Amino acid sequence: MPGMIDPTRYPRLSRIDVPADLRQFDEAELSAIAEELRAYLIESVGRSGGHFGAGLGVIELTVALHALYDTPDDRIVWDVGHQCYPHKILTGRRDRIHTVKQKDGVAPFPKREESEFDTFGVGHSSTSISAALGMAIANANAGNDRRVVAVIGDGAMTAGMAYEALNHAGGMEPEPNLLVILNDNRMSISENVGGITKMLGRISGSRTLNALREGGKKLLGNKKNRTARFVRRWEEHWKGMFVPSTLFEEMGFHYTGPIDGHDVKALVSALKTLKKLKGPQLLHVITTKGKGYELAEGDQIGYHAVSPFDPVLGVIAKPGAKKPTYTDVFGDWLCDMAAIDPKLLAITPAMREGSGLVRFSKEYPDRYFDVAIAEQHAVTLAAGMACEGAKPVVAIYSTFLQRGYDQLVHDVAIQKLDVLFAIDRGGVVGPDGATHAGNLDLSYLRCVPHMVVMAPADENECRQMLSTGFRHAGPAAVRYPRGTGPGVALQATLDVLPIGKAEVRHHGSRVALLAFGALVPAADKVGQDLGLTVVNMRFVKPLDRALILELAKTHDGFVTLEDNVVMGGAGSAIAELLAEENIQLPILHLGLPDDFQHHASREDLLSEAGLDAAGIRASVVSRWPQLLVNTPLSAAG
């Protein structure tokens, strides 16, 4: 059967359906199991595509954890989840891992509904310590002695939430039984940045000092010995100068490490010791992203996530010119605008590649700010810049901006500061699932006073809207989808659009299709097919009030279309305007469902939601069947 493991190539891994099977093997075989798991991961992701380098980096750690802990009764909480494919292979999904990210296939991140071994659903970073601490507290309250382990990368450790959890756990009485494993590979998606990264580098470079420290403990023996107490106090001062592991110990965690995260024997030995200890523990392991696959080790950014590839040849770029994505459009616009306006500063929360800032970071390094995984800080940093006359552009995914929402409201909007939000991955995103879907942003942006909110229908309009938002004095957002658009040619100029003005794309009759952003091309097809008016609304806020009120006089009904949840979205704004003007007009609201969509292609998810051309046409005709027989709608509207 497709996907079934070959027992001749994987004699040990083929016998491991769940971790209990892994625990039947002798410890001496764990290294061999890890090598089989690494080879199988390379083969599987080569077939399916998906997150790659992070999983290769935690092969040995995953094997050691499931071999020593009684999962699923003991809890392992993975941060972010990019690295969870080896975990999924060992926990009952081995023969389906090649379906990852596909419709009805294995989820790309830990998902509680998928497996009891996925203890906490995740997709955003830096939640693992908080969640694991919550589990440890609940278990202690219930009198349950199960072990809880959080695995967090050094990239995720740059977010404030991780330190909030460390601070809480380390100061609790009684102390919680919690193990935090810091998986230090110097990477998130891009290279890590910031002071924490430098600190961890000093720790991992101080193996000799750590060895001396551990040796001194054995030599000095009893903690109550006067000499031992003096030397330990001296050691803390001395160690703080050279080995900043004291950060974790001062927060109340017992620090162990750093150790080689690819040495199964060392991992097993350390974990055995830590399992016996009470209270908060932190194990620092050093790993290599992409470990064991030379091409991934050499290009850790390029092999973070991959499309299907030949493991022998690696990822090969497809020949020929390709349409620019909306992300490409933004990246080029940013450089073009920076060339003529020295006040432009660009900010990203650790998403240089994903948000299209690679070129800008090279051409304008002094005006480029990667703040690490710190969305809240990114937004308030922009606010501070704007206070001093700069023009910051925050490049951020829709789903990640949710983390900085309080700062958007309090620090930017209330103060009417001049910040442009370039919001990528708006609407349906697809294979990464609900955690990465940008299906709420029109709703949560529209209700914020002073915001200008735009959604482009095509690539050139995206460029124009970015210029419009940049030139606008106050907070503005341009929200655009993942991937490519309809293929409209880009103008070299940096033209602006009149704020709050829509565009009539097709003059028809009876029903007006009021479309926002990415759904405009589909609305065009339906409108021309049925002879309806089609409007590219362009602005979610402010609306083109004059045009809407004029259309209400000449049409028998409205259809609003958006790739955002219907509740509180752009269509709601239309209805609110009509109610305000005491206009009674039938309205059909089409948008994303009141649910979190699963992972599938963008096209599949739009089709399921009835937001492709066929689905839109069917909904319109179902509401107004007279459209097919040319009967006046007012009789049935």
Side-chain angles (χ1 to χ4, degrees):
M1 291 178 61
M4 293 295 289
I5 192 168
D6 181 355
T8 61
R9 295 177 58 200
Y10 305 103
R12 299 172 184 84
L13 189 61
S14 61
R15 292 157 50 197
I16 302 172
D17 293 316
V18 290
D21 300 326
L22 171 64
R23 294 190 279 272
Q24 299 303 310
F25 285 86
D26 188 273
E27 260 182 39
E29 293 191 81
L30 294 181
S31 293
I33 291 171
E35 287 308 307
E36 289 186 23
L37 180 56
R38 176 169 281 110
Y40 187 69
L41 180 67
I42 294 170
E43 176 190 337
S44 300
V45 178
R47 292 176 57 190
S48 66
H51 298 112
F52 188 51
L56 289 173
V58 297
I59 293 287
E60 289 80 7
L61 179 60
T62 306
V63 169
L65 285 170
H66 280 297
L68 289 178
Y69 285 86
D70 186 22
T71 55
D73 187 60
D74 288 335
R75 311 302 198 198
I76 300 175
V77 182
W78 299 96
D79 210 287
V80 184
H82 291 144
Q83 76 282 50
C84 73
Y85 292 15
H87 158 79
K88 294 201 174 200
I89 290 170
L90 293 177
T91 55
R93 291 159 282 185
R94 181 193 62 211
D95 296 337
R96 295 202 312 124
I97 195 66
H98 66 281
T99 68
V100 71
K101 295 185 118 180
Q102 299 170 18
K103 184 178 181 181
D104 301 323
V106 173
F109 299 101
K111 189 174 183 180
R112 284 171 57 84
E113 307 96 288
E114 185 175 277
S115 170
E116 63 180 336
F117 292 93
D118 291 1
T119 59
F120 194 75
V122 70
H124 286 192
S125 86
S126 316
T127 61
S128 61
I129 305 176
S130 297
L133 177 59
M135 293 175 185
I137 292 170
N139 286 323
N141 188 62
N144 192 317
D145 62 355
R146 66 166 52 101
R147 311 299 296 186
V148 183
V149 181
V151 183
I152 184 169
D154 53 324
M157 194 65 92
T158 62
M161 185 175 177
Y163 293 91
E164 293 172 20
L166 288 172
N167 180 63
H168 183 199
M172 287 182 62
E173 289 292 344
E175 292 184 328
N177 292 325
L178 171 68
L179 171 60
V180 174
I181 298 179
L182 173 57
N183 174 38
D184 184 357
N185 63 16
R186 306 291 187 276
M187 297 289 291
S188 48
I189 295 176
S190 305
E191 301 93 343
N192 282 334
V193 297
I196 298 300
T197 297
K198 291 180 181 178
M199 184 203 75
L200 291 177
R202 291 196 296 272
I203 294 177
S204 61
S206 304
R207 296 173 188 269
T208 302
L209 299 180
N210 275 278
L212 287 171
R213 171 196 176 205
E214 295 305 315
K217 285 182 178 179
K218 295 177 182 177
L219 181 64
L220 293 167
N222 190 343
K223 292 182 180 180
K224 296 181 180 179
N225 177 285
R226 179 178 296 180
T227 303
R229 290 201 307 269
F230 169 79
V231 172
R232 280 194 172 83
R233 288 180 63 188
W234 172 82
E235 176 209 21
E236 290 303 318
H237 291 287
W238 169 78
K239 187 178 58 174
M241 294 172 60
F242 298 100
V243 190
S245 56
T246 46
L247 169 69
F248 301 113
E249 295 191 344
E250 291 293 342
M251 294 184 80
F253 278 74
H254 177 268
Y255 174 90
T256 301
I259 67 172
D260 183 354
H262 300 298
D263 183 337
V264 174
K265 186 176 180 181
L267 284 169
V268 168
S269 176
L271 289 171
K272 278 184 176 179
T273 299
L274 291 169
K275 275 188 71 176
K276 300 173 185 175
L277 300 178
K278 301 292 185 180
Q281 310 290 326
L282 189 138
L283 172 63
H284 184 184
V285 302
I286 306 297
T287 62
T288 299
K289 192 172 183 179
K291 177 70 174 178
Y293 187 67
E294 187 176 351
L295 294 171
E297 289 188 41
D299 182 9
Q300 295 181 340
I301 296 173
Y303 279 84
H304 169 74
V306 296
S307 56
F309 68 97
D310 183 335
V312 176
L313 301 176
V315 176
I316 299 175
K318 295 180 180 178
K322 62 185 182 80
K323 285 199 302 182
T325 64
Y326 281 99
T327 305
D328 296 333
V329 171
F330 164 71
D332 290 339
W333 169 84
L334 192 66
C335 292
D336 293 346
M337 185 61 78
I340 65 171
D341 194 329
K343 294 189 299 181
L344 185 152
L345 303 176
I347 302 168
T348 178
M351 292 300 295
R352 179 183 63 193
E353 285 75 22
S355 292
L357 289 166
V358 173
R359 179 186 159 199
F360 184 89
S361 69
K362 294 176 180 177
E363 295 184 11
Y364 300 96
D366 294 338
R367 294 157 68 182
Y368 165 74
F369 301 90
D370 183 342
V371 302
I373 302 175
E375 294 87 356
Q376 295 162 304
H377 168 59
V379 177
T380 304
L381 177 71
M385 291 173 173
C387 285
E388 298 301 315
K391 180 68 185 195
V393 179
V394 179
I396 192 167
Y397 284 13
S398 168
T399 184
F400 299 155
L401 182 56
Q402 292 166 190
R403 292 185 147 198
Y405 188 66
D406 182 71
Q407 289 69 29
L408 183 149
V409 173
H410 282 259
D411 301 335
V412 175
I414 287 178
Q415 304 185 90
K416 302 181 184 178
L417 291 173
D418 201 5
V419 178
L420 172 62
F421 294 90
I423 304 174
D424 205 333
R425 269 64 168 182
V428 171
V429 173
D432 283 338
T435 57
H436 284 58
N439 57 337
L440 308 175
D441 51 18
L442 297 187
S443 299
Y444 72 65
L445 290 169
R446 187 177 74 79
C447 64
V448 178
H450 311 312
M451 287 293 298
V452 171
V453 184
M454 296 168 271
D458 57 56
E459 299 90 336
N460 192 59
E461 194 167 82
C462 182
R463 183 176 171 90
Q464 293 173 322
M465 287 181 175
L466 289 164
S467 297
T468 303
F470 186 81
R471 294 303 182 199
H472 171 68
V478 180
R479 180 259 207 185
Y480 44 92
R482 178 184 186 181
T484 58
V488 172
L490 295 169
Q491 298 173 352
T493 53
L494 295 168
D495 300 333
V496 300
L497 299 170
I499 289 179
K501 294 298 179 183
E503 172 199 31
V504 179
R505 300 280 286 250
H506 183 257
H507 290 278
S509 62
R510 302 180 291 179
V511 171
L513 306 181
L514 310 180
F516 294 84
L519 295 190
V520 171
D524 273 338
K525 294 179 182 178
V526 175
Q528 293 185 36
D529 177 38
L530 297 175
L532 310 178
T533 295
V534 179
V535 181
N536 169 20
M537 290 301 300
R538 286 181 170 166
F539 290 84
V540 177
K541 185 177 185 178
L543 290 172
D544 191 336
R545 294 175 63 94
L547 178 60
I548 293 169
L549 296 177
E550 182 61 33
L551 293 173
K553 297 175 184 176
T554 57
H555 290 73
D556 297 306
F558 282 171
V559 179
T560 65
L561 302 106
E562 59 191 303
D563 57 339
N564 184 83
V565 293
V566 171
M567 290 188 178
S572 294
I574 303 290
E576 290 163 13
L577 172 57
L578 295 181
E580 179 186 333
E581 297 292 332
N582 199 26
I583 296 172
Q584 296 184 1
L585 189 74
I587 305 180
L588 173 61
H589 295 298
L590 299 181
L592 296 176
D594 181 27
D595 200 358
F596 293 106
Q597 289 181 293
H598 54 81
H599 56 280
S601 71
R602 177 175 164 81
E603 293 73 23
D604 282 342
L605 293 177
L606 285 171
S607 177
E608 285 183 15
L611 296 180
D612 58 356
I616 293 168
R617 187 184 190 280
S619 294
V620 172
V621 170
S622 176
R623 179 66 179 269
W624 292 288
Q626 299 86 352
L627 289 172
L628 296 179
V629 292
N630 205 28
T631 301
L633 299 185
S634 55

